[in-house]
Amino acid sequence: MSRKVYADNAATTAVSKEVLESMLPFYQEVYGNPSSLYALGREARTALEEARATVAKCLGANPNEIYFTSCGTESDNWAIKGAAHAMKKKGKDHIITTAFEHHAVLHTCGALEREGFSVTYLPVHENGIVRPEELEAAITENTGLVTVMYANNEIGTIQPIPEIGAICKRHGILFHTDAVQAVGNVAIDVKEQNIDMLSLSGHKLHAPKGVGALYLRAGVPVSNFMDGGAQERNRRGGTENLAQIVGLATAMERACSTIAERTERLSAMRDKLIQEVLKLERTRLNGDRTHRLPGNASFCFQGVEGESLLLMLDLKGISASSGSACTSGSLDPSHVLLAIGLPHEVAHGSLRISLGDFNTMEDIDYIIETLPPIIERLRNMSPLWDAIESGKVSYDAYF
Amino acid sequence: MAYSEKVMDHFANPRNVGEMKDPSGVGEVGNPKCGDIMRMYLKIEGNVITDVSFMTFGCGAAIATSSMATELIKGKTIEEALKLTNKAVMEALDGLPPVKVHCSVLAEQAIKAAVSDYYRRQGIDPTPIVGEIAECEECACQV
């Protein structure tokens, strides 16, 4: 049996044993509806509110500011559309975001543009970090909402969220952040950092797929997500997905209480990987070297196309991803890599390795040993590499 | 839609891959901005393609279609090679995902480009025989 290395934890993670065990009682024992009055329902209600308190504590929020949702995308849609519509009633129909948000935010902003909102997409520069002064300069008297991701899903760069929060507070603008990649990796305090709304997702944290949460600061004027019963304080009807909500709370408690040691462990693996991979010629690291998630390493290799690289790695048991066109079924390369100024020809040759709690240094060694011969093999059959080597084209300015 | 076993076989073990010394004709199609370039080398003796090889920058389907196309024209006459359609390449690979159909068109066009180069080296205008080297509309990615 060849080795299997799962190195795509930014896409999703395995559910941890601890999380799974915390969920199991809520399927066949405490299966009551949290809205029911009898003991079984009350017990479920208690677990639900304990989970809410746990999630709130991890974020420095109050429990009544946490709403459970089905995923990060739902949280983003709810916060952004809800806040945009509420601010429009006050005559503010301008939104500021960045060029490299997740599609859950970008396409939500696009939908609002089609409704008549105007949206500014801030540049994120070569290092993949938005500049607070540019954000402040983009504010107009019509700006009602700012949405900037906490950490980028593809290149892992961490954004200056506290600075942005302070600017938004000073100008009286609502501030939302998609923190799906950041929660559990970065210390977040929504009060200190002046965050009005924050989206998070369970399955990036070793909780299951299908559960997320939205922090909505008390008093933020956001309309209800779904009309229905009185669940989630009348804001999101529908019987609560209790077992998964409990799983999310277990995962968040673990992640948020161990940020320091996990950061040390993950970044040691990441740094070794980066150091070794960058020894390959004409190879670059995407995104700022230091302001990045502890488990993220994103590279571009000249003369190599990302999908064939991923397939070759998969044949060797390594699961990773690429911002490459082909993986997403479109021919266009990653909007994130284009946003940091890379040309299409370079952006096509990307590889994202994202590490999680279950990875080991042996995994890193295996990747370091497996990757170079694959790059060499693909370059040997690449007419683009041939053109690069013979000096007919050059992308060295980006490397 | 995932790749067929045949696509994966030709991707993992590409046939006739690599640069050719002293080819009779070389053709290159595609665009690095779109993420795929195919280069086809032909050795032609007395109207027969006695050897063929390719170099490809591109996705799994681009590599697999290049490989399969070389297999399908090796030992064939120029006329037979020019009749090779992208459909025949796809069928030989047990199909391609819809978004990858353009890779098979590139393979077809790469052969035509190499044959055109061969004719030009012979001092013959290839256009009446080979036609225009046109890449399919699906290849027109947003650049």
Side-chain angles (χ1 to χ4, degrees), chain B residues 40-84:
Chain B
M40 212 52 92
Y41 298 91
L42 301 176
K43 182 86 81 190
I44 296 170
E45 286 167 37
N47 205 40
V48 173
I49 297 167
T50 55
D51 198 10
V52 51
S53 74
F54 78 93
M55 287 178 75
T56 290
F57 160 77
C59 62
I63 292 169
T65 52
S66 311
S67 168
M68 180 54 88
T70 61
E71 288 273 276
L72 291 172
I73 64 165
K74 203 171 190 174
K76 301 283 169 66
T77 64
I78 292 176
E79 291 71 28
E80 286 169 324
L82 289 175
K83 280 186 196 148
L84 181 75

Side-chain angles (χ1 to χ4, degrees), chain A residues 41-53:
Chain A
R42 291 198 304 275
E43 212 178 320
R45 163 70 57 188
T46 302
L48 176 66
E49 296 313 324
E50 277 174 11
R52 198 184 308 282

